[in-house]
Amino acid sequence: MSDLIANIGFLQQGPFAIPRWEALFSNIDLLWQGTIVTLTVASLGLALALVLGTVLGVMAASHWRVPRAFTRAYVEFYQNTPLLIQVFMIFNALPMVFSGLFIPVITIGILGVGMYHGAYISEVVRAGIQSIGRGQLEAALSQGFTYVGAMRYIIIPQAMRIVLPPLTNQAVSLIKNTSVIAIIAGGDLMYAGDAFAGRFGHYGPTYVIVGLGYFLMCFPLAMLARRLEDRTRVL
Amino acid sequence: MIELVDVSKHFGHLKALRHVDLEVPAGQKLVIIGPSGSGKSTLIRCVNMLEKPSSGRVIVDGVELTALRAPVAKVRQSVAMVFQSFNLYPHKTVLENVALAPIVVCGVKKEQATEAALTYLKRVGLSDKADKYPAQLSGGQQQRVAIARALNMHPKIMLFDEPTSALDPEMIQEVLEVIIDLAQGGITMVVVTHEMGFAKEAADRVVFMDEGRIIEDGTPEHFFENPQHDRTKLFLSKILR
């Protein structure tokens, strides 16, 4: 039996050989540190995206022409250019425009995914607001609410229920997209994994475990989104 | 209390209102009648600027709402509206529906607004539904909550835009009774309705509209017994059989 195992070549050598796994697991704290960076960028980036997305979404659904045009331009820019270019712009171009400006790489990540997903979330919020019947806004306005007050107390709380499942999906993509900062030495899970793998060539096990790490962060959210979706269908 | 001067409203090519003049003194109970598409809903919605007139002036409680930067939201606090489709806030309980705007918009203390809300819910016969959500109520009950919500703003003017048109026949009466009861008080009321019985019973004045114009204007007696205009006679012959 042991002969059999010993003779299975790919466990002894090759990309997934057992020693490579052992090397990875004895250095697993590197991946932990990366995971913490990823979670930091993801949670703060999500907070930024939610604030931006809500403000822009309300503006996009309003009858004010200038804010509407602004949000349209913002959304089209961010939806139709790669996130990677946006991150490079913040990383390379901004310090050249404002000479000497130093932006920590984690902040670049937060700004990058926050502004990018802010655009997507604003579209989700806009659609949610527009799905609430016109009568709700009219009722609120007729009672003396301002437009912003009507949004805050009447429209957005109702839109939130509808918007929650697609919003959760946005959170999932946001977590995955934090991995772009690996390219600018972001210290995140992807970067930590890649750096370790490159040093000794342990690519196989490392990418499997890094991928699993992202999966474990995202899958519960994706499940939550599905459950929320089922619930909104019942209501 | 309400003054419309030469008000017109166009929706693209459609002329919903054509040079309408209307003055409603304080305390008057005005009923607006007319075939559908005659502009009566547009007219009443111009009073609280849910529709902005294309031209003309709207003056409510001494404030010209059509002026630039008019304090429209402020004036709306004292001009309550009851809608055809109720438009209750579905994410709020009945009690919250009635108490919300006084608290948020007028700055009334929460306990005070809630207490007043319960009083008005009692007045419309629904104090036992305070903790329900609108979706748990019948249409007639929802519309009575909407009336309580309007009353809790302590309005000087109440606008009713076809308040019974979306109701099942057996629920119309319970809502009309509440409105008739209100009409005994001193509040200024403008009611767009197809309920001729209500017009006869509760109105001081009836206005008949057709094709965006007011073509008959007088007391209910005048309107039902001695209409001047052929269009009015034709309308009445169809509706009062």
Side-chain angles (χ1 to χ4, degrees), chain B residues 221-233:
Chain B
E221 296 76 37
H222 160 88
F223 180 77
F224 288 106
E225 281 147 35
N226 192 20
Q228 300 299 303
H229 205 284
D230 284 344
R231 187 68 187 84
T232 322
K233 288 175 193 162

Side-chain angles (χ1 to χ4, degrees), chain B residues 24 51 54 72 86 91 99 169 176 189 208-209:
Chain B
V24 186
E51 290 315 337
S54 307
V72 175
F86 331 134
H91 60 305
L176 280 184
M189 283 171 55
F208 180 77
M209 291 186 70

Side-chain angles (χ1 to χ4, degrees), chain B residues 105-118:
Chain B
V105 177
C106 313
V108 177
K109 283 218 178 62
K110 194 178 174 192
E111 309 82 68
Q112 206 182 327
T114 307
E115 199 179 315
L118 282 168

Side-chain angles (χ1 to χ4, degrees), chain A residues 134-136 138-146 153-155 157-158 161, chain B residues 45 48 50 73 76 79 83 87-91 100-101 104-105 149 153:
Chain A
R134 173 126 195 104
Q136 289 294 307
E138 290 187 347
L141 292 179
S142 81
Q143 289 204 284
F145 279 94
T146 60
Y153 291 98
I154 308 300
I155 309 295
Q158 294 182 55
R161 292 182 194 185
Chain B
R45 286 161 59 86
N48 65 353
L50 284 185
R76 279 172 177 158
V79 184
F83 298 85
N87 297 357
L88 294 178
Y89 308 132
H91 60 305
L100 182 69
V104 174
V105 177
R149 176 174 74 173
M153 296 297 286

Side-chain angles (χ1 to χ4, degrees), chain B residues 86 88 94 121 124-126 128-129 134 136-147 167 171 174-175:
Chain B
F86 331 134
L88 294 178
V94 163
L121 281 175
V124 300
L126 290 172
D128 58 323
K129 304 286 185 198
Q136 298 170 294
L137 270 53
S138 73
Q141 290 170 334
Q142 289 192 48
Q143 193 62 300
R144 285 187 281 152
V145 172
I147 294 171
L167 295 175
M171 290 168 185
E174 67 185 54
V175 172

Side-chain angles (χ1 to χ4, degrees), chain A residues 2-15:
Chain A
S2 62
D3 278 2
L4 191 64
I5 293 172
N7 287 329
I8 298 177
F10 75 89
L11 291 177
Q12 299 298 327
Q13 46 189 293

